[in-house]
Amino acid sequence: MFGHVRVYGVSGAGGNAGGAGGGAGGDATAWLCDLTQAWHIASLQPTIDQSVATMYGRLPGAGNVANSGAGGANAAHDRIKIGFCTDLDKSVLVNNFEKRGWHQVNGDDDWHFYWAGVQTCRNIFSVDSGYRMHDNQMINHFPNHYELSRKDLLVKNIKRYRKDLERDGNPLAEKTESNNSSGTRYVYLDFVPTTFVLPADYNMFVEEYRKFPLSTWIMKPCGKSQGAGIFLINKLSKLKKWSREAKGPFHPQIAKESYVISRYIDNPLLIGGKKFDLRLYVLVASFRPLKAYLFKQGFCRFCTVKYDTSVTELDNMYVHLTNVSVQKHGGEYNTLHGGKWSVQNLALYLEGTRGKEVTDRLFGAISWLIVHSLRAVAPVMASDRHCFECYGYDIIIDNALKPWLVEVNASPSLTSTTVNDRILKYKLIDNILSVVLPPDGVPDVRWNKIPSADALGNFELLIDEELAAQDEAQSSSNNSHAKSSKLSSRWK
């Protein structure tokens, strides 16, 4: 489903959507009535577009895996008794670890695998700690993960990435005239709403606001999550009033907390009249070379109140924020299905209402968005071989079927709100371990981090720059025999 990625065709993800079958009305309510069955739909099998294999890598075969085989696994476990440590008392974690025969230890003991909180990770990698990890230790965060997960740094890195490509004359940085704002927009990298960091960019924001005084903006504190501190504004006076009440005037030397203010996506795709977003899990095994995988069992998170753009509902977070941590306090929250819908059901719904072609293009655009957000931060990320990280991507789809990156979470919630939620998150952790651990199950940073196709489980490969480079090198060396190689490879 996410495998339809086109190198230069993503800009059309929403362009023809409007003519492909109307809106999400009609029978939309019927689709929502049976949400409890959403998780039982079989995963749709992705296809791999060979034309972009060198950009997005390829699925490795068994021959790429070192030290494979049951004998090696048994011998390894005879030598090493795996000790795990975790800061989170979550059954989906502990049960997965104990299923593998691991035993729990404290952070001060010798451990091999640490599922840590972000602060613990920072402490371990701190120069002051003096801690040095050995080859058989792994931890679930990169030292400076905040380059991707902090809202202000994410925007900064994406802007820098686009400018670097533009300076190098890369065709990915192509621009075109913008329809809804002044100046131009990026054709292939236009996946984040116009965003400013306050207080630093206050004057630039005011200039943009005055060009479009009827637009709505959303304010978010840079260092918070789960919908905390978020509010919408449609008047500059409201922002100034908030500044006075918060006693934090917009002056870089005075204000203590940074905010991002983004143009609000006020034309979201609605199903059953309600706004929703996508929560997708992305596993990064390495940033240099970039190795990333997408979990195919993501889900939609619905608001409990029908979408309303009127001024009277501007402060109603049950209309505008999809966070479960917000919606669960509403009177309309359904504890049975938790307001969630599987991404497979979303795909089926869109195929029925908009057509398969535009649906495939949408999911291709989502894969594109994820890959390039990771590429944007890769140069500044401390890619320690002891680390991996599972990110929670939050994506909004507008009514033209164009995806927008809202934010990225370094510690997506492992709390289960429903039975099906628990099943999904247990499978997520199980599959993460299968991908990041060597075939013998013993953490080892010397492993090449190329899992077998069977080890991927419900993950699909988004990009592996190492494999892509190997493919490109092999293709170049065999250029004179390209035709015969292509024919013979069909049988390998």
Side-chain angles (χ1 to χ4, degrees):
M1 174 168 46
F2 287 95
H4 298 277
V5 182
R6 302 289 177 185
V7 177
Y8 299 117
V10 172
S11 62
N16 298 325
D27 296 330
T29 305
W31 280 81
L32 289 172
C33 291
D34 203 15
L35 283 170
T36 56
Q37 296 181 12
W39 305 101
H40 304 292
I41 301 282
S43 297
L44 302 179
Q45 294 298 317
T47 60
I48 300 177
D49 188 340
Q50 296 301 325
S51 66
V52 292
T54 56
M55 171 167 282
Y56 290 97
R58 57 178 167 81
L59 288 178
N64 296 110
V65 182
N67 303 322
S68 60
N74 293 333
H77 282 288
D78 288 341
R79 295 193 307 270
I80 301 177
K81 188 172 177 61
I82 308 297
F84 76 88
C85 191
T86 178
D87 293 341
L88 305 175
D89 185 21
K90 300 292 184 183
S91 61
V92 295
L93 289 173
V94 176
N95 290 348
N96 265 298
F97 300 153
E98 291 180 343
K99 181 185 74 171
R100 285 167 167 74
W102 298 0
H103 69 285
Q104 189 163 6
V105 298
N106 294 320
D108 297 330
D109 299 328
D110 289 334
W111 52 268
H112 300 89
F113 193 95
Y114 203 147
W115 195 284
V118 290
Q119 189 56 53
T120 297
C121 183
R122 291 176 195 173
N123 294 340
I124 288 176
F125 283 102
S126 169
V127 176
D128 298 332
S129 73
Y131 191 88
R132 182 164 182 164
M133 297 176 70
H134 58 70
D135 287 348
N136 293 113
Q137 287 183 302
M138 293 188 72
I139 193 166
N140 67 315
H141 291 291
F142 289 93
N144 59 336
H145 58 84
Y146 44 80
E147 294 286 353
L148 179 64
S149 59
R150 250 189 85 99
K151 301 174 184 67
D152 53 343
L153 296 181
L154 172 63
V155 171
K156 172 187 173 182
N157 286 318
I158 290 176
K159 287 181 178 179
R160 188 203 66 250
Y161 175 65
R162 295 190 296 202
K163 289 293 184 183
D164 289 348
L165 291 175
E166 191 174 357
R167 185 187 63 244
D168 295 340
N170 193 305
L172 292 177
E174 180 184 341
K175 289 183 176 180
T176 187
E177 290 298 321
S178 179
N179 295 326
N180 57 359
S181 63
S182 61
T184 59
R185 66 172 180 86
Y186 289 92
V187 176
Y188 307 115
L189 300 174
D190 180 35
F191 54 78
V192 290
T194 303
T195 301
F196 301 93
V197 179
L198 301 181
D201 298 338
Y202 178 70
N203 290 334
M204 286 189 290
F205 162 71
V206 171
E207 182 180 347
E208 181 71 12
Y209 173 86
R210 286 174 175 163
K211 294 176 183 175
F212 307 95
L214 299 180
S215 58
T216 301
W217 297 78
I218 184 166
M219 281 273 290
K220 301 179 181 180
C222 293
K224 294 182 180 179
S225 59
Q226 298 184 329
I230 297 177
F231 60 94
L232 275 63
I233 67 163
N234 61 351
K235 293 182 179 179
L236 198 57
S237 58
K238 184 175 181 179
L239 182 60
K240 292 178 178 179
K241 178 183 178 183
W242 170 83
S243 174
R244 290 193 300 270
E245 293 176 351
K247 298 181 180 179
F250 287 124
H251 191 279
Q253 283 72 38
I254 299 177
K256 295 182 179 180
E257 185 174 26
S258 294
Y259 277 72
V260 291
I261 186 164
S262 304
R263 191 185 303 276
Y264 185 60
I265 306 299
D266 57 5
N267 63 328
L269 176 66
L270 305 179
I271 298 181
K274 296 177 181 179
K275 179 182 174 181
F276 69 94
D277 74 351
L278 289 180
R279 162 55 60 89
L280 301 176
Y281 298 102
V282 176
L283 173 62
V284 177
S286 167
F287 274 100
R288 289 189 303 278
L290 182 57
K291 297 171 179 278
Y293 307 85
L294 176 64
F295 193 62
K296 291 181 284 189
Q297 295 188 359
F299 53 88
C300 309
R301 304 180 299 183
F302 282 82
C303 289
T304 54
V305 179
K306 288 192 174 185
Y307 187 67
D308 189 340
T309 57
S310 64
V311 176
T312 56
E313 296 292 346
L314 202 62
D315 295 326
N316 188 345
M317 293 299 102
Y318 298 121
V319 171
H320 298 286
L321 296 188
T322 59
N323 308 67
V324 175
S325 55
V326 172
Q327 295 295 331
K328 68 181 181 181
H329 299 294
E332 300 297 320
Y333 181 73
N334 187 313
T335 56
L336 182 63
H337 55 65
K340 295 177 180 178
W341 209 25
S342 74
V343 71
Q344 285 79 21
N345 267 11
L346 173 65
L348 291 173
Y349 171 78
L350 291 176
E351 286 180 8
T353 57
R354 299 292 188 98
K356 189 175 189 307
E357 183 179 349
V358 291
T359 301
D360 288 345
R361 194 156 58 238
L362 166 65
F363 284 104
I366 290 173
S367 294
W368 175 272
L369 173 162
I370 294 170
V371 166
H372 286 283
S373 67
L374 294 174
R375 282 186 158 176
V377 301
V380 297
M381 198 67 79
S383 189
D384 192 292
R385 288 189 63 82
H386 297 88
C387 305
F388 68 92
E389 198 150 27
C390 179
Y391 298 102
Y393 268 70
D394 294 342
I395 295 170
I396 287 279
I397 303 170
D398 67 23
N399 59 15
L401 293 195
K402 176 179 173 61
W404 297 92
L405 177 59
V406 177
E407 61 184 72
V408 182
N409 299 274
S411 299
S413 174
L414 294 178
T415 300
S416 302
T417 55
T418 67
V419 173
N420 290 318
D421 207 25
R422 188 176 301 112
I423 294 171
L424 178 144
K425 289 175 180 176
Y426 181 89
K427 187 179 294 185
L428 170 68
I429 301 301
D430 177 62
N431 287 181
I432 287 174
L433 298 178
S434 296
V435 172
V436 302
L437 291 171
D440 62 10
V442 178
D444 191 341
V445 299
R446 293 162 293 190
W447 180 52
N448 61 10
K449 293 190 174 183
I450 301 179
S452 68
D454 290 339
L456 293 180
N458 285 281
F459 277 103
E460 65 180 19
L461 180 65
L462 278 175
I463 182 171
D464 188 322
E465 291 179 338
E466 181 180 7
L467 289 176
Q470 291 175 8
D471 284 348
E472 188 172 357
Q474 184 176 2
S475 176
S476 299
S477 65
N478 297 332
N479 191 44
S480 60
H481 304 286
K483 186 174 181 180
S484 60
S485 297
K486 183 177 180 181
L487 290 172
S488 62
S489 66
R490 293 172 57 190
W491 306 102
K492 291 181 180 179

